[in-house]
Amino acid sequence: MKPLSMMLSMLVIGMTSNAAMAEGASSVNTSLANASLPNTSLPNISPANSELVNRGVYIARAADCMACHGEDYTGGTPIETPMGEIYSTNITPSKRYGIGDYTEADLKNALQKGRAPNHMLYPAMPYPSYSGMKEEDISALFAYLQTVPAVDEAPKEKTDLPFPFNIRSLMLGWNLLNVPSTEKRDGLNETQKRGEYIVNNLEHCGTCHTPRNSTMGFDKSMYLSGAQLGHWHAPNITPDESSGIGSWSEQDIVTYLRTGELDQRAYAGGPMGEAVAHSTRYLKNEDLSAIASYLKAVPAVQTDDKVSAVDVSRLPTPINESITHDLLAQKEYLKQAKAKVGNGSNSPESLYLATCGSCHGVDGYGQPDARYAPIVGLSSIRRERPDALVNMILHGVAGATNTSPIMPGFSDELNSEQIAGITNYVRVNFGGLTSSDVNASDVDRIANTGVDKPFLIKYAGLLAIIGIIVAIAIIVFIIRAILRSRRRA
């Protein structure tokens, strides 16, 4: 759960592809190889638990609670929003710092209405999506949360938004406009209805993948068509062929959600890596299949961030079949490649080998055993807009779990021209593009592009002050009018 801003890998790189890649042998082999993926063992399931509690364990995974509240549910995760950072809270059964005093009705109000017992919640907790949660799922989740170890400490950081966003009662008006965040569609079969429930409510996919309107609610006309989350871009996951995942089969979607990758097409990292690590890899096969069936049935939305078709024949091949698993061979191969281009050279190839090659490999195939991501063929480096790749080089990628590698950012080590050179080298050599013309000005633009705040959010403080002044003026006018009328009487 990374709403309004913002999840097992080094380089995200997207969830979109194109027909040419999907029709290649790689796609066919991936689908066949993963035609029967085993269910992943679910932590915290125990024969000692009641059936209701064990169901709650599953609901917590399906609702992706851990992405924000942590595997121990103690919170403290910063969620970047246009209004400021919102920190997740402790939801262990601690009576002082957590939800130990919550009744099931309290939890239901928090999930469905955004109302804690003593205050309104901010929609960084995705209650606009959870508003559609089923009663039995809330009961199961409540039963499970009572069994997790209580942690009697508050998160180190506390949400402190500027005026007027620090007035939580304003959420009452926001909720009238934006809750629920989605509407049920007609004409779905039973499998698709289950997928709709998981996508729209439990997994709250639209929180990241649907653009926002002027009030920061969902722009329903652009449902699941992709949205910017700070430096991240949650891609289009509608079945559009050119900018969405229309070329993915249902099995491709299941494989991606279970494993976080599709060979030479997509690799999950950043917010999506976290979603896979904490949530989707634990879902039952039938639920993943339901998600896939539903995503193929939603209205396709074409955006301008199209993915260029790839010429599979232009993609590199590893020097041998085992080198991605042989660290010593990789080090020697990298040493030879550096010597070939010349040590100290400032060419794009030399810069790539110096800054990226030790993790992603000379030929871009990474180190799977060490969880360094392969980048060959990935859709994010084949997008017409290079923003995602440039942002990754600039800012790096934090691992989705404590054991995940961390990709460093190079904004302080490389200048814009060097970053542009690496970007072009990667797009052509590992994306199969015939050319790439990213320049230093493009890098500067991307580096300096902030979150585009809607007018109402950007000027909320000023508008609130003007509103207060106008309200006071109206009250003064009314009082004076009443006094005058009494004098005349």
Side-chain angles (χ1 to χ4, degrees), residues 220-243:
K220 296 179 182 179
S221 67
M222 298 294 286
Y223 174 64
L224 299 181
S225 65
Q228 193 67 30
L229 311 171
H231 297 306
W232 290 99
H233 183 265
N236 184 339
I237 56 172
T238 74
D240 179 66
E241 289 285 340
S242 63
S243 59

Side-chain angles (χ1 to χ4, degrees), residues 337-353:
K338 287 181 176 179
K340 184 177 179 180
V341 299
N343 290 324
S345 168
N346 200 41
S347 70
E349 181 180 7
S350 179
L351 289 169
Y352 170 82
L353 294 174

Side-chain angles (χ1 to χ4, degrees), residues 66-354:
M66 298 79 177
C68 279
H69 295 282
E71 289 285 341
D72 59 0
Y73 300 102
T74 57
T77 301
I79 301 165
E80 184 181 352
T81 78
M83 291 76 70
E85 287 191 335
I86 296 175
Y87 293 88
S88 61
T89 57
N90 182 331
I91 58 170
T92 73
S94 168
K95 290 185 176 294
R96 182 174 181 182
Y97 298 106
I99 60 171
D101 287 330
Y102 270 41
T103 65
E104 184 174 326
D106 289 334
L107 181 63
K108 179 181 176 182
N109 282 333
L111 291 171
Q112 294 187 327
K113 300 178 182 179
R115 295 180 182 177
N118 300 315
H119 60 266
M120 298 297 296
L121 300 177
Y122 292 115
M125 200 287 275
Y127 63 83
S129 296
Y130 290 158
S131 65
M133 280 185 69
K134 297 177 180 178
E135 302 283 335
E136 57 266 33
D137 287 345
I138 295 175
S139 295
L141 180 61
F142 178 77
Y144 165 59
L145 289 177
Q146 302 309 298
T147 70
V148 306
V151 179
D152 291 319
E153 59 182 51
K156 294 181 180 179
E157 300 286 348
K158 186 177 180 180
T159 300
D160 184 20
L161 298 184
F163 176 83
F165 305 113
N166 59 343
I167 304 174
R168 288 177 179 260
S169 58
L170 292 177
M171 293 300 100
L172 290 168
W174 190 90
N175 292 347
L176 288 174
L177 297 174
N178 297 299
V179 179
S181 59
T182 55
E183 300 171 358
K184 290 185 177 181
R185 295 183 58 234
D186 296 326
L188 301 179
N189 60 37
E190 290 305 310
T191 297
Q192 291 166 342
K193 287 179 182 178
R194 173 64 178 171
E196 179 181 53
Y197 174 64
I198 298 172
V199 168
N200 286 351
N201 304 127
L202 293 180
E203 289 287 355
H204 51 279
C205 301
T207 297
C208 287
H209 291 277
T210 298
R212 302 279 168 168
N213 59 29
S214 59
T215 67
M216 293 303 294
F218 284 10
D219 180 351
K220 296 179 182 179
S221 67
M222 298 294 286
Y223 174 64
L224 299 181
S225 65
Q228 193 67 30
L229 311 171
H231 297 306
W232 290 99
H233 183 265
N236 184 339
I237 56 172
T238 74
D240 179 66
E241 289 285 340
S242 63
S243 59
I245 57 172
S247 61
W248 290 26
S249 68
E250 290 187 18
Q251 183 58 49
D252 288 338
I253 297 172
V254 170
T255 299
Y256 182 81
L257 294 176
R258 172 74 74 208
T259 67
E261 61 183 286
L262 281 178
D263 184 38
Q264 294 191 357
R265 283 188 288 168
Y267 208 100
M272 191 62 211
E274 289 184 16
V276 173
H278 296 295
S279 181
T280 62
R281 71 186 178 114
Y282 294 108
L283 298 187
K284 300 173 183 176
N285 281 336
E286 54 264 37
D287 279 346
L288 291 180
S289 295
I291 291 173
S293 180
Y294 174 68
L295 289 178
K296 299 295 283 186
V298 303
V301 179
Q302 185 178 94
T303 64
D304 61 359
D305 191 19
K306 297 179 182 179
V307 180
S308 300
V310 64
D311 181 353
V312 179
S313 66
R314 291 180 55 84
L315 298 180
T317 56
I319 187 174
N320 60 55
E321 291 297 323
S322 63
I323 192 168
T324 57
H325 303 283
D326 187 336
L327 180 58
L328 293 178
Q330 282 197 51
K331 290 179 67 175
E332 180 60 28
Y333 188 35
L334 178 60
K335 180 181 178 181
Q336 294 173 7
K338 287 181 176 179
K340 184 177 179 180
V341 299
N343 290 324
S345 168
N346 200 41
S347 70
E349 181 180 7
S350 179
L351 289 169
Y352 170 82
L353 294 174

Side-chain angles (χ1 to χ4, degrees), residues 394 442-451:
L394 284 168
D442 295 324
V443 174
D444 290 337
R445 172 188 60 79
I446 295 167
N448 294 317
T449 299
V451 177

